[in-house]
Structures are given as C-alpha cells and as structure tokens.
Amino acid sequence: QVQLVESGGGLVQAGASLRLSCTVSGRTGSGGAMAWFRQPPGKEREFVAAYRYMGGRTFVEDSVKGRFSISTDNTKNTVYLQMNNLKSDDTAIYYCAFDQRIILSSLRFSREYDHWGQGTQVTVSS
C-alpha cells in the first residue's frame, strides 16, 4: 500500500527559505511521478512542481520558477521542494502526490494522482 509522509512546513518571514520533504513507501516499479501541489486559503489546489521517474525530469510551475525547485534523494523515495525567497502569496497547505502510472501530459492535474500526503502548512508573513 502506497503511503506518503510530508514534513517541513512552518511559519516564516517573507524572503526566507523552506524545504519540504515527502517520502513515499510502497512504491513499485520505476514509472510514475511525484508532485507538489498547494492550496492557498479560499482557492483551488494548484500545481507547483513534479518529478517524473522515467528519465528523471523535473517540472516547475512558471509562477514559482526561479524560486522553487524539486529534487529527490538517491533512493528516489523522498522528494524535496526547495522554496526560496518566499512571498506572502506562497502561503498555502502544500500536498505531495504520487501516481505510479501517470503520463507526462497529466502531471499538472491533481485529479490524475491516486495517492496524497496529509498536507503541510506553509505560512509566510510579510
């Protein structure tokens, strides 16, 4: 059974950095993707970044590109979201997601992921 455990959220001031972690257990095979989504207060869940296992490619949403990056550890079971120069607009609950069979064209769509972490709150004060 696939499980995702997130950590690393918190309250920071604008301009600070945070690194979120998400560890997946129960993953089988070498395909699929891990992704980060966020849900700001009163808004829809939105794509932030993804790591596609096949080929090891990363994808980062344009709105955070240059400040956020996604990476994995050597086992590829832990995915990190490095967030630099945080802004108040980055305040949200951040979720990691995993799907074993997701295709490239679907990476940005939350409905395509079968497994989700519990979410971690990131609050940026201005």
Side-chain angles (χ1 to χ4, degrees), residues 12-20 38 63-69 81-87 90 94 124:
V12 297
Q13 291 189 328
S17 297
L18 274 177
R19 188 175 79 161
L20 306 182
R38 67 184 182 183
S63 62
V64 299
K65 196 171 290 184
R67 297 190 298 120
F68 290 15
S69 61
L81 182 68
Q82 178 67 42
M83 306 185 293
N84 298 326
N85 191 22
L86 283 161
K87 304 177 180 180
D90 297 319
Y94 284 71
V124 184

Side-chain angles (χ1 to χ4, degrees), residues 3-66:
Q3 291 187 318
L4 302 175
V5 177
E6 304 171 25
S7 63
L11 170 64
V12 297
Q13 291 189 328
S17 297
L18 274 177
R19 188 175 79 161
L20 306 182
S21 300
C22 178
T23 298
V24 60
S25 59
R27 181 175 71 92
T28 60
S30 58
M34 287 272 278
W36 288 97
F37 289 81
R38 67 184 182 183
Q39 188 162 14
K43 296 185 179 180
E44 298 288 318
R45 193 169 298 190
E46 60 188 27
F47 173 79
V48 178
Y51 172 82
R52 187 170 186 243
Y53 284 97
M54 187 173 293
R57 285 184 64 186
T58 59
F59 305 84
V60 180
E61 185 62 21
D62 286 346
S63 62
V64 299
K65 196 171 290 184

Side-chain angles (χ1 to χ4, degrees), residues 40-114:
K43 296 185 179 180
E44 298 288 318
R45 193 169 298 190
E46 60 188 27
F47 173 79
V48 178
Y51 172 82
R52 187 170 186 243
Y53 284 97
M54 187 173 293
R57 285 184 64 186
T58 59
F59 305 84
V60 180
E61 185 62 21
D62 286 346
S63 62
V64 299
K65 196 171 290 184
R67 297 190 298 120
F68 290 15
S69 61
I70 186 169
S71 62
T72 68
D73 69 352
N74 289 340
T75 69
K76 295 183 172 54
N77 288 325
T78 297
V79 174
Y80 304 102
L81 182 68
Q82 178 67 42
M83 306 185 293
N84 298 326
N85 191 22
L86 283 161
K87 304 177 180 180
S88 56
D89 286 348
D90 297 319
T91 294
I93 300 175
Y94 284 71
Y95 298 91
C96 66
F98 170 77
D99 195 272
Q100 188 72 57
R101 296 181 298 273
I102 194 167
I103 60 176
L104 179 60
S105 60
S106 298
L107 291 180
R108 287 176 164 79
F109 302 106
S110 60
R111 65 179 182 269
E112 299 295 331
Y113 291 83
D114 282 343

